[in-house]
C-alpha cells in the first residue's frame, strides 16, 4: 500500500514566496504564470478616509455684497461690503426674525391628532384648540340661501282638498276659436327691379365722383387764371427782376448768418445764464431779427414779386 503525504497549505505558500524571491528562474516563471494560489481572493484594501474638511471662514458671516438680512432694518441694500471673514457685532441693528426656522415653542402636532372630515374651519389644515373643536362638531351650512324643503307625500295629500277644482278644457273648441280669430299670413310680394327709383339713370355714387372731378378741374383753372392775372402789373407797382430778387435773397441770408453768429457767441444762449432782464431782452431781440429775416426770404422766394414804383 502506497502512502501519500500532502504538504500543508502554509508550507506550500512559504515555498512559493521563497521561489519568487530567488529570482526569475524557469520554475519561478511557471509558478508566477500558473498557480492554484492565484484563485484565492486577496484582501481588498479599504478606501482611505480623509479628515473632514472644515472651512477657516465663519459660517455665520454673510457673503460680500449680500442682500440677506436687510429687511426691516436701517441698512442699505447690501451688507458686508468690505468682505470681512468674521461676523460683525452690530448691536440692536442686527436683523433677527423670530421663529423663522422651527416655529414657535409648543406648536408641534402629535401624529395621532389628524384633521378629520368636517372638523376644519376652512383655509386648509388648521390646528384647533379643544374649545374650537367642540364648537365645530356640526358641518357648516348656509342659512340664507337654503331652498325650502320638498313637501312629503302626507303633506301633499292634506293640502290637495283645499286646492280649487281644475276646470276641464275642450281643446277642439279652443283650437277652432284660435284659428278663426287668427290673422291670415301674407305672402311676400315679388320685387320688380325694373321699377326701382333710379332705374335707367346714372347711379348717385357716380354722380358724386363726377362732381368731385369737376370741382378739381375748376380749382385748377382758377389757379391758372390767377397766374395769368399775376403777369398783369398793378398800378404803381413794378415787377422785381430775378437778378435783383436773387441778390436781395443772398444779402438777407448773409445778414441772417451774421445775426445768428452773434446770437450763438453771446452769453444769452443758455437758459441758466438768463439772470438779468437785459439778457432776456437781448435774447428776444436776436430771435425776433432771425424770424423777420426768414419771413423776408420766404416772400422773395416767390416767382413774381412786385414792389412799389418810386418813379
Amino acid at each position: 500500500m502506497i502512502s501519500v503525504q500532502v504538504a500543508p497549505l502554509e508550507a506550500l505558500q512559504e515555498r512559493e514566496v521563497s521561489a519568487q524571491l530567488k529570482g526569475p528562474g524557469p520554475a519561478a516563471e511557471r509558478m508566477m504564470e500558473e498557480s492554484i494560489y492565484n484563485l484565492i481572493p486577496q484582501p481588498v484594501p479599504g478606501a482611505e478616509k480623509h479628515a473632514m474638511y472644515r472651512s477657516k471662514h465663519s459660517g455665520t458671516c454673510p457673503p460680500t455684497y449680500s442682500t440677506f438680512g436687510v429687511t426691516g432694518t436701517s441698512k442699505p441694500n447690501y451688507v458686508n461690503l468690505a468682505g470681512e471673514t468674521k461676523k460683525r457685532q452690530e448691536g440692536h441693528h442686527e436683523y433677527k426674525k423670530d421663529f423663522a426656522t422651527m416655529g414657535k415653542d409648543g406648536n408641534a402636532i402629535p401624529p395621532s391628532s389628524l384633521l378629520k372630515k368636517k372638523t376644519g374651519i376652512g383655509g386648509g389644515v388648521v390646528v384647533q384648540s379643544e374649545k374650537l373643536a367642540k364648537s365645530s362638531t356640526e358641518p357648516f351650512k348656509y342659512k340664507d340661501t337654503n331652498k325650502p324643503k320638498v313637501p312629503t307625500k302626507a303633506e301633499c295629500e292634506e293640502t290637495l282638498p283645499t286646492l280649487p277644482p281644475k276646470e276641464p278644457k275642450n281643446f277642439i273648441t279652443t283650437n277652432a276659436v284660435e284659428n278663426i280669430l287668427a290673422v291670415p299670413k301674407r305672402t311676400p310680394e315679388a320685387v320688380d327691379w325694373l321699377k326701382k327709383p333710379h332705374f335707367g339713370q346714372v347711379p348717385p355714387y357716380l354722380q358724386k365722383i363726377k362732381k368731385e372731378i369737376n370741382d378739381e378741374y375748376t380749382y385748377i383753372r382758377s389757379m391758372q387764371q390767377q397766374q395769368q392775372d399775376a403777369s398783369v402789373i398793378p398800378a404803381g407797382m413794378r415787377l422785381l427782376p430775378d437778378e435783383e430778387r436773387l441778390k436781395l435773397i443772398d444779402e438777407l441770408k448773409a445778414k441772417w448768418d451774421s445775426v445768428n453768429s452773434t446770437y450763438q457767441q453771446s452769453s444769452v444762449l443758455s437758459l441758466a445764464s438768463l439772470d438779468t432782464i437785459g439778457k432776456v431782452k437781448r435774447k428776444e431781440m436776436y430771435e425776433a431779427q432771425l424770424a423777420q429775416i426768414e419771413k423776408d426770404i420766404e416772400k422773395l422766394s416767390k416767382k413774381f414779386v412786385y414792389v412799389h414804383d418810386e418813379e
Side-chain angles (χ1 to χ4, degrees):
M1 187 173 182
I2 301 173
S3 61
V4 180
Q5 294 182 356
V6 180
L9 180 61
E10 296 178 357
L12 293 175
Q13 292 179 353
E14 291 178 0
R15 190 180 302 173
E16 182 181 359
V17 171
S18 63
Q20 293 177 3
L21 295 175
K22 286 180 180 180
E29 291 179 0
R30 288 196 299 270
M31 292 182 66
M32 288 294 294
E33 293 175 357
E34 188 174 341
S35 177
I36 193 173
Y37 297 107
N38 293 337
L39 300 177
I40 300 174
Q42 300 297 324
V44 180
E48 184 180 358
K49 187 176 182 181
H50 300 281
M52 183 178 179
Y53 173 78
R54 296 186 182 277
S55 177
K56 63 180 180 180
H57 304 287
S58 175
T60 59
C61 182
T64 306
Y65 278 87
S66 175
T67 58
F68 298 138
V70 296
T71 307
T73 63
S74 59
K75 300 178 183 178
N77 295 332
Y78 307 99
V79 293
N80 196 10
L81 304 183
E84 300 178 356
T85 57
K86 293 184 180 180
K87 188 176 181 181
R88 180 184 296 180
Q89 299 295 333
E90 300 179 351
H92 63 279
H93 288 282
E94 188 175 2
Y95 176 71
K96 291 183 179 180
K97 189 175 181 180
D98 298 334
F99 317 113
T101 56
M102 303 302 294
K104 297 182 179 180
D105 187 15
N107 66 339
I109 305 173
S112 58
S113 61
L114 301 176
L115 184 64
K116 298 180 181 180
K117 185 179 180 181
K118 297 183 180 180
T119 58
I121 60 175
V125 180
V126 181
V127 180
Q128 300 179 357
S129 61
E130 296 180 359
K131 184 177 179 180
L132 183 59
K134 292 180 180 179
S135 62
S136 61
T137 54
E138 297 181 358
F140 176 77
K141 293 182 179 180
Y142 289 101
K143 297 180 180 179
D144 299 336
T145 59
N146 290 343
K147 295 181 179 180
K149 295 182 179 181
V150 179
T152 60
K153 182 179 179 181
E155 294 176 353
C156 292
E157 291 178 353
E158 291 178 358
T159 57
L160 185 59
T162 59
L163 296 176
K166 189 175 182 181
E167 298 180 358
K169 182 178 180 181
N170 191 348
F171 291 95
I172 297 175
T173 307
T174 305
N175 292 338
V177 172
E178 290 179 356
N179 290 327
I180 292 170
L181 299 178
V183 179
K185 296 181 180 179
R186 293 184 178 180
T187 57
E189 298 179 358
V191 179
D192 189 2
W193 299 105
L194 300 177
K195 296 181 180 179
K196 292 194 304 180
H198 301 287
F199 179 77
Q201 300 179 5
V202 180
Y205 72 92
L206 289 179
Q207 294 180 1
K208 180 180 179 182
I209 294 174
K210 290 176 66 177
K211 184 176 181 303
E212 293 176 355
I213 294 173
N214 293 331
D215 294 341
E216 291 179 1
Y217 281 133
T218 305
Y219 177 74
I220 293 172
R221 292 194 194 96
S222 63
M223 294 294 295
Q224 293 176 352
Q225 186 67 29
Q226 289 179 4
Q227 291 180 0
Q228 293 177 1
D229 295 342
S231 60
V232 180
I233 302 175
M237 305 292 289
R238 69 181 179 86
L239 181 63
L240 190 67
D242 291 342
E243 296 179 358
E244 188 177 356
R245 181 174 61 84
L246 295 176
K247 182 179 179 181
L248 289 174
I249 292 175
D250 295 338
E251 292 178 355
L252 288 174
K253 288 181 179 180
K255 184 177 180 181
W256 188 91
D257 293 336
S258 176
V259 175
N260 185 45
S261 177
T262 306
Y263 176 51
Q264 297 291 336
Q265 294 175 3
S266 63
S267 61
V268 299
L269 187 61
S270 62
L271 298 177
S273 62
L274 299 177
D275 51 357
T276 60
I277 299 176
K279 290 182 178 181
V280 175
K281 290 184 177 180
R282 201 175 308 120
K283 176 178 172 53
E284 293 177 353
M285 180 189 68
Y286 286 139
E287 292 177 352
Q289 288 181 2
L290 292 174
Q292 183 62 37
I293 294 172
E294 291 174 358
K295 289 182 180 179
D296 295 341
I297 293 174
E298 183 180 359
K299 289 182 179 179
L300 291 174
S301 299
K302 296 180 180 181
K303 187 175 182 181
F304 301 100
V305 178
Y306 296 98
V307 295
H308 182 69
D309 190 5
E310 297 178 354
E311 295 179 0

